Amino acid sequence: MTEAVGQRLAAALAPLASLLALLVLWEAGVRWFEVDSFLLPPPSAIGAALLDSAGPLWDNSLYTLRTFAAGFGLSICVALPLAVLVTASRWLAAAIYPLLVLIQSIPKVALAPILIVAMGTSEAPRVVITFLVAFFPLVIATATGLLHTPPELLRLARSLRASALQRLLYIRLPHAVPFIFSGLKMSATLSVIGVVVAEFVAADRGLGYLMTSAMAFFNTPLAYAAMLLLSLISIAAFHGIGLLQALLFPWSTGQPNAAG
Amino acid sequence: MIELRGVAHRYPGQADEEHTFTGVDLEIPRHSFVAVVGRSGCGKSTLLNVIAGLDAPCAGSVSIDGKAVCGPPDAVSLMFQAPTLLPWLPVLDNVLFPLRIAGADLAAGRDRALQLLELCGIADRARARPQQLSGGMQQRVALCRALVSQPSVLLMDEPFGALDALTRELMGEELLRLRERQPQTVLMVTHSIEEAVLLADRVVVMAPDPGRIREIIDVDLPRPRDLAQAQPRAVAGALRELIFERGGSTAHAAGQPRVEVAYD
């Protein structure tokens, strides 16, 4: 028992140790070779920037989080019904699918300046850009889950005279849950990228804006600090979704002992 | 009573002469237990699907209690070779699933479901997930699910085929015990001659190319049956010869073939 705990502790400490080693190496290298801070700031300078600018970083994080939540939320609201539609009939699939692929094939970074002009400098274009970057993988993942429902389960439903709606609600959607959650994870991390792209192009607040304005003044440590926070948002969203899945749908995580 | 008159089936795209099965006449009296045996490719599973209303015949008529089958009929339950349980539902909710789909009273069904689980000896697993159960337990849950709606007809497609020999024997006994409480008409497709002899009142032997009924044998033996006894062994031997076409006649096209096995 204690041996197992020790092993788990060692497994948890291993990435921390390697991260620490990397930071020490980084710090030592920058100091040794006397690299200018605006080219590559040492970790200590980034840490100092985090503390010194804690206020602005916090405010801008909240702003970025708001756009992230709106864009990601919009992705979910559009992607799930769209996936159901695409899988509902051959005709709908033929009608909608090419449009989806067309939208996906447009480089969203290139679309950002155009959308800003078209929609003005409000929050709306940033939400739309985030949505456009994030929604496609969620549609694909959900549609895959819905289409890959085991045929024997559908046969069971048919033998029970289940309606199309019942088949969707009781068989296809539950079966798609693990697929939906892996789509959500992809979509969430892409949403963070979408927000930053939008804030690069046009924003007066947010971590993306903070990064560009910091770099305009060669305040590289602050830009790194903002980037660190963006990564944290992305990681938190990814693991938060995994946690949500384990809490709400324990059977879908592939662990047979996760009984409800 | 289940009645089949001149029923034939072929899959879309199959040529006219390539029937899955053809010319099937069969009467299954109410509350009887009929087994269908035959080599693979004789269309026995498809025959079951046609009776279940999941596949449409290309000729002939199927009726259950005088009502023509067109789509999955009421009061008929289907059981497959795989348990086909919903992994996201606990055992009890899996058993209740047919009632949920039918919009039936779940409160009354819950008692019945628990009683069925109790009879199958898995009442203590009612809250477990299907994937936590062994294959035999999962198939017991599937049996409870098939019975929870109190069907008058139970169609079983090699229901115990994926289980080990011991579990399989136990499941057969359990099925007979459950039928004593609530007798249904049972049609069971099986690839086990022994299972057919031990369980069925009547055995339909099918032959392939094209699928057709070769013989129908009444198994008029007292229960419980034991293959160590001479009579059931004799029936099993006769069935084996029919399946591998070593005995009997194949000219059965006219009328309903019926062979009386000479016991001893």
Side-chain angles (χ1 to χ4, degrees):
Chain A
M1 192 63 201
T2 50
E3 203 171 303
V5 170
Q7 267 174 6
R8 286 189 61 176
L9 206 65
L13 286 178
L16 275 180
S18 62
L19 185 67
L20 205 66
L22 180 76
L23 289 178
V24 168
L25 208 69
W26 180 354
E27 183 83 34
V30 168
R31 282 167 192 258
W32 184 262
F33 296 107
E34 295 177 345
V35 181
D36 278 328
S37 182
F38 73 87
L39 288 179
L40 179 66
S44 57
I46 298 170
L50 263 175
L51 291 178
D52 291 346
S53 310
L57 279 169
W58 175 251
D59 291 341
N60 286 294
S61 294
L62 286 183
Y63 194 72
T64 296
L65 271 175
R66 218 178 65 190
T67 314
F68 163 80
F72 183 43
L74 185 64
S75 299
I76 296 172
C77 294
V78 172
L80 295 188
L82 206 57
V84 170
L85 274 185
V86 164
T87 54
S89 81
R90 241 173 246 282
W91 189 86
L92 279 171
I96 299 174
Y97 225 75
L99 271 180
L100 280 181
V101 175
L102 181 72
I103 292 174
Q104 177 59 11
S105 66
I106 297 170
K108 255 65 75 181
V109 182
L111 198 63
I114 300 172
L115 272 177
I116 303 278
V117 170
M119 301 180 72
T121 50
S122 67
E123 175 85 7
R126 289 190 285 279
V127 172
V128 169
I129 290 164
T130 307
F131 156 74
L132 283 175
V133 171
F135 89 108
F136 190 72
L138 188 53
V139 177
I140 296 299
T142 307
T144 306
L146 291 172
L147 286 177
H148 285 231
T149 308
E152 63 268 20
L153 290 186
L154 294 173
R155 207 155 79 97
L156 169 77
R158 219 150 65 79
S159 80
L160 295 172
R161 296 171 294 280
S163 66
L165 183 66
Q166 284 178 321
R167 288 202 296 272
L168 177 70
L169 290 179
Y170 293 133
I171 308 267
R172 282 144 65 85
L173 272 177
H175 176 263
V177 160
F179 294 82
I180 293 174
F181 270 89
S182 53
L184 284 174
K185 284 178 181 171
M186 272 190 284
S187 178
T189 44
L190 282 172
S191 290
V192 176
I193 296 174
V195 177
V196 175
V197 165
E199 287 177 351
F200 277 173
V201 176
D204 49 7
R205 275 179 293 177
L207 288 172
Y209 162 77
L210 194 66
M211 280 182 76
T212 43
S213 62
M215 284 316 290
F217 296 102
F218 294 104
N219 188 354
T220 317
L222 182 59
Y224 268 87
M227 198 169 68
L228 186 69
L229 288 180
L230 282 169
S231 309
L232 284 180
I233 291 174
S234 195
I235 292 169
F238 187 90
H239 288 288
I241 289 166
L243 204 65
L244 205 65
Q245 181 183 8
L247 281 175
L248 295 178
F249 308 101
W251 49 266
S252 71
T253 52
Q255 286 158 342
N257 56 346
Chain B
M1 175 151 110
I2 305 174
E3 261 188 290
L4 287 84
R5 290 270 167 267
V7 176
H9 176 272
R10 65 169 180 266
Y11 284 103
Q14 264 183 334
D16 278 0
E17 61 280 5
E18 287 175 7
H19 283 93
T20 328
F21 57 78
T22 179
V24 169
D25 293 305
L26 186 62
E27 277 176 19
I28 301 173
R30 206 171 158 75
H31 295 172
S32 66
F33 193 133
V34 173
V36 181
V37 296
R39 287 186 283 169
S40 57
C42 64
K44 51 191 193 299
S45 286
T46 311
L47 177 66
L48 191 107
N49 282 340
V50 166
I51 298 173
L54 290 175
D55 278 329
C58 65
S61 66
V62 182
S63 69
I64 295 177
D65 293 332
K67 272 190 287 185
V69 170
C70 152
D74 276 330
V76 172
S77 277
L78 201 55
M79 196 175 159
F80 311 102
Q81 181 172 5
T84 51
L85 301 175
L86 307 177
W88 49 86
L89 293 181
V91 163
L92 182 62
D93 291 290
N94 261 291
V95 176
L96 288 171
F97 189 65
L99 302 180
R100 182 175 296 278
I101 291 292
D105 179 14
L106 285 183
R110 192 172 297 269
D111 292 338
R112 202 158 58 235
L114 282 170
Q115 204 179 5
L116 282 167
L117 289 170
E118 183 79 54
L119 285 168
C120 287
I122 46 173
D124 56 327
R125 311 307 299 273
R127 297 180 62 81
R129 300 271 165 189
Q131 56 271 37
Q132 294 173 294
L133 305 184
S134 68
M137 284 186 187
Q138 290 190 15
Q139 201 58 315
R140 283 186 178 88
V141 176
L143 179 60
C144 294
R145 178 180 63 191
L147 293 176
V148 76
S149 53
Q150 297 175 304
S152 60
V153 176
L154 184 57
L155 303 174
M156 310 173 96
D157 189 359
E158 298 188 14
F160 312 137
L163 304 176
D164 63 89
L166 283 175
T167 313
R168 173 173 218 166
E169 214 173 298
L170 287 173
M171 291 289 290
E173 285 168 20
E174 261 164 42
L175 178 61
L176 290 182
R177 216 174 57 234
L178 286 165
R179 283 190 77 228
E180 278 168 20
R181 299 170 52 92
Q182 192 205 333
Q184 313 87 8
T185 311
V186 177
L187 181 69
M188 177 197 262
V189 169
T190 174
H191 51 226
S192 161
I193 294 171
E194 290 72 24
E195 201 167 72
V197 174
L198 288 179
L199 301 178
D201 305 317
R202 181 178 288 182
V203 181
V204 176
V205 181
M206 290 186 74
D209 300 316
R212 61 196 188 278
I213 292 182
R214 185 171 155 82
E215 302 284 4
I216 297 175
I217 291 185
D218 284 319
V219 187
D220 205 3
L221 296 176
R223 298 170 195 271
R225 297 168 187 165
D226 186 347
L227 277 171
Q229 293 163 349
Q231 288 183 338
R233 256 213 328 272
V235 179
L239 283 174
R240 195 174 298 279
E241 296 211 344
L242 281 169
I243 290 169
F244 295 106
E245 303 193 32
R246 285 196 285 255
S249 78
T250 47
H252 65 281
Q256 183 134 329
R258 183 74 53 91
V259 166
E260 290 298 328
V261 175
Y263 301 123
D264 283 5

